[in-house]
Amino acid sequence: MEIFLIKTLQFILAIGLLVLLHEGGHFFFSKLFGVRVEKFYLFFDVTIGKWKGALFKFKPKKSDTEYGIGWLPLGGYCKIAGMIDESFDTEQMKQPEQPWEFRTKPAWQRLLIMIGGVLVNFLLALFIYSMVLFYWGDSYVPLSKMTQGMEFNEAAKVIGFKDGDILLGTDEGPFKGPKHELGIDVNAYRQITNAKYVNILRDGKPDSVIISTELSLLDMGRTWPPFMRTYIPAVIDSVLPEMPAAEAGLQKGDRIVMVNGKEINSYNQFTDEIVRINEELQDITTHGDSLALRQMTLAVERGGQRDTIGVMLNEQLKLGFAPQLLYEPDTIQYGFFESFPAGISYGWNVLASYVDDLKYLFTADGAKSLGGFGAIGSLFPDTWDWHRFWLMTAFLSIILAFMNILPIPALDGGHVLFLLYEIITRRKPSENFMIKAEYIGFGLLILLMVVANLNDILRWIGVM
């Protein structure tokens, strides 16, 4: 429950900040050009019967704008006078045009008002990345320095990889590496999917693996065991107090060599057993069966002696120990002014990778991989980690900017598309057309949201 609350709070804080600043971009340009903003809301104040749906609202004296917080946490909105938007206020559009309305302003001003939110989100992401690099630097372990090499799943071995291979690069260039040796940077996967061959060191000698089959980033990312993992020894580096490992007497330096009767030679293979137990727990209906499944028998080597230890996983399926890590990460530190070009480059690479991955969305497997609020919230760390929080917030800001600029009615990009049409042809689309387009676009967005959140539910109950 504590982990759920931590993830939820991080999600709400990040989304709340991004939505406020996105709508603030529209608000800024509206005020700049003398357009009246009637409402500025975080979340939607959907009306149900006589209830207007605002949890909180206020309107300053001598202000045209009502500020508030709605009850439906699906984003927010900035109701701009004289504009057909998600409020569907068609009555206002029947009134005579006023000089402070959106519809009376020149097309270039209306264009800036519409891209204001996207512009703020994109610049915010670049700023966050810059400040993260300035404060924390950029730390990673080059794959070429992982001298114990990788562990590969069966699909990777069929292609030609072998456990212990050290990855150097592909025909596209050298690998950079993950942020931490416990995980592979998704860019390494992406680079392999686009590669003709992968350069490796095998048994100390240079070699290459020819990629003769088409690889899917989705398949590589969702299979277990993963396509490749850094070799990590099953040696305990530290034990958390008052956790199952400490209560069972496990100590720093212990090497786990067997789990539930299965020989293992890496920490990765230990986590494989945890994954197997978690999958079996999905079908367990009684508390007694759950306890029996969480009971583990470990064979541990300590001081040249092998001992057998029984231990009970906690409800989160954790023992409470950290494995011994083999490599120290390389860290690049940036000065304040150096961090900005580095942050821009970082953000641009994130955007380019995200856009490249969208090709998977138009496949059956890609549609199944769509996630809603649950999937997004699960990406935040289990503990409050400001470094990872800001990286995740910047990533969501880039996604929000890109998705909003897509030329879909009801999104900012739909309005931009119609404005560009007006600028080129010097003809406005009719209000009747705009209203219908808004309804269609809004319906598509609701459908997409339903599918994404339904996928979350199906994954949660184990159907997908």
Side-chain angles (χ1 to χ4, degrees):
M1 186 62 180
E2 180 182 353
I3 292 175
F4 173 78
L5 289 175
I6 290 173
K7 286 178 175 285
T8 301
L9 286 173
Q10 291 179 91
F11 173 73
I12 291 174
L13 179 59
I15 293 298
L17 174 66
L18 297 180
V19 169
L20 280 174
L21 292 177
H22 177 91
E23 300 303 332
H26 296 308
F27 184 90
F28 171 78
F29 283 105
S30 295
K31 291 296 185 181
L32 181 65
F33 299 131
V35 176
R36 183 174 295 176
V37 177
E38 298 176 350
K39 283 188 173 184
F40 186 93
Y41 265 70
L42 174 64
F43 306 149
F44 291 108
D45 58 330
V46 178
T47 299
I48 299 179
K50 295 182 179 180
W51 184 45
K52 298 301 182 181
L55 300 177
F56 166 79
K57 63 180 179 180
F58 75 98
K59 188 174 184 180
K61 293 181 179 179
K62 299 181 180 181
S63 174
D64 299 316
T65 308
E66 175 184 295
Y67 302 88
I69 300 175
W71 67 272
L72 188 61
L74 300 181
Y77 72 99
C78 188
K79 188 177 186 303
I80 299 171
M83 174 184 168
I84 299 172
D85 59 10
E86 60 269 25
S87 67
F88 299 108
D89 187 0
T90 56
E91 290 301 319
Q92 183 185 69
M93 304 302 292
K94 297 177 182 178
Q95 306 301 317
E97 293 184 354
Q98 301 296 330
W100 36 261
E101 287 186 329
F102 177 84
R103 56 181 166 170
T104 63
K105 300 300 178 180
W108 68 270
Q109 292 185 4
R110 285 179 279 137
L111 183 63
L112 284 175
I113 291 172
M114 293 317 306
I115 67 172
V118 168
L119 182 63
V120 167
N121 279 134
F122 189 64
L123 292 178
L124 174 67
L126 299 182
F127 178 75
I128 292 175
Y129 282 133
S130 299
M131 291 301 96
V132 166
L133 293 176
F134 170 65
Y135 189 82
W136 283 283
D138 190 13
S139 296
Y140 61 95
V141 181
L143 297 183
S144 60
K145 288 189 177 181
M146 294 183 175
T147 54
Q148 298 298 311
M150 301 287 156
E151 287 185 271
F152 298 89
N153 67 10
E154 290 305 314
K157 290 176 180 177
V158 168
I159 294 172
F161 292 100
K162 292 184 178 180
D163 289 340
D165 286 349
I166 299 173
L167 301 180
L168 302 178
T170 70
D171 49 291
E172 293 189 341
F175 292 114
K176 182 177 180 182
K179 298 298 179 186
H180 192 282
E181 66 176 287
L182 284 178
I184 295 296
D185 191 338
V186 70
N187 286 323
Y189 283 113
R190 187 177 289 109
Q191 194 168 336
I192 290 176
T193 62
N194 297 324
K196 297 178 181 177
Y197 60 85
V198 178
N199 294 323
I200 61 172
L201 277 180
R202 179 175 291 169
D203 300 324
K205 298 178 181 179
D207 203 345
S208 294
V209 175
I210 306 299
I211 307 298
S212 56
T213 184
E214 185 175 347
L215 297 175
S216 165
L217 189 63
L218 280 178
D219 292 339
M220 294 172 73
R222 70 185 179 184
T223 56
W224 194 271
F227 185 86
M228 61 184 181
R229 296 178 287 185
T230 308
Y231 169 78
I232 302 169
V235 177
I236 296 176
D237 182 71
S238 60
V239 178
L240 295 176
E242 301 180 6
M243 289 289 285
E247 294 171 358
L250 292 173
Q251 301 175 13
K252 177 182 174 67
D254 287 350
R255 178 183 292 272
I256 302 173
V257 295
M258 186 178 290
V259 181
N260 292 337
K262 297 179 182 178
E263 295 279 350
I264 67 169
N265 56 29
S266 73
Y267 176 73
N268 295 325
Q269 293 174 12
F270 171 80
T271 61
D272 290 344
E273 183 65 12
I274 300 295
V275 171
R276 182 194 66 79
I277 292 172
N278 184 53
E279 289 176 348
E280 291 192 18
L281 279 174
Q282 308 308 313
D283 300 322
I284 294 299
T285 57
T286 68
H287 181 63
D289 289 341
S290 174
L291 290 176
L293 194 57
R294 284 160 45 203
Q295 180 68 43
M296 298 184 75
T297 302
L298 307 178
V300 176
E301 287 185 353
R302 180 186 299 164
Q305 301 294 320
R306 178 176 289 202
D307 193 13
T308 301
I309 296 175
V311 60
M312 176 73 72
L313 292 166
N314 65 13
E315 292 183 355
Q316 288 76 42
L317 302 185
K318 296 184 182 298
L319 283 183
F321 74 86
Q324 183 184 84
L325 302 182
L326 300 175
Y327 315 108
E328 288 292 329
D330 291 350
T331 301
I332 302 175
Q333 297 293 345
Y334 295 92
F336 181 75
F337 293 106
E338 293 175 320
S339 67
F340 287 99
I344 292 171
S345 176
Y346 193 117
W348 183 257
N349 288 334
V350 169
L351 176 62
S353 298
Y354 177 73
V355 173
D356 183 59
D357 293 344
L358 284 179
K359 62 177 177 283
Y360 297 108
L361 183 62
F362 303 101
T363 65
D365 289 338
K368 292 179 181 178
S369 70
L370 276 174
F373 298 120
I376 297 172
S378 68
L379 296 175
F380 287 92
D382 295 346
T383 57
W384 201 285
D385 183 332
W386 282 111
H387 182 213
R388 293 176 63 187
F389 169 81
W390 286 117
L391 285 175
M392 188 63 202
T393 302
F395 178 62
L396 292 178
S397 192
I398 280 184
I399 291 177
L400 185 61
F402 179 79
M403 295 302 291
N404 263 284
I405 204 61
L406 292 176
I408 300 174
L411 291 178
D412 296 341
H415 292 282
V416 169
L417 178 66
F418 297 137
L419 281 167
L420 291 176
Y421 167 83
E422 179 185 339
I423 291 172
I424 294 171
T425 65
R426 299 186 182 279
R427 290 187 302 170
K428 280 187 178 183
S430 69
E431 290 184 2
N432 185 48
F433 171 81
M434 293 292 289
I435 292 170
K436 289 180 179 179
E438 195 76 12
Y439 274 114
I440 292 172
F442 197 74
L444 289 173
L445 294 178
I446 292 297
L447 178 62
L448 181 63
M449 190 172 297
V450 169
V451 170
N453 285 284
L454 180 60
N455 283 350
D456 283 351
I457 296 171
L458 294 177
R459 278 189 286 266
W460 181 62
I461 63 179
V463 175
M464 288 179 58

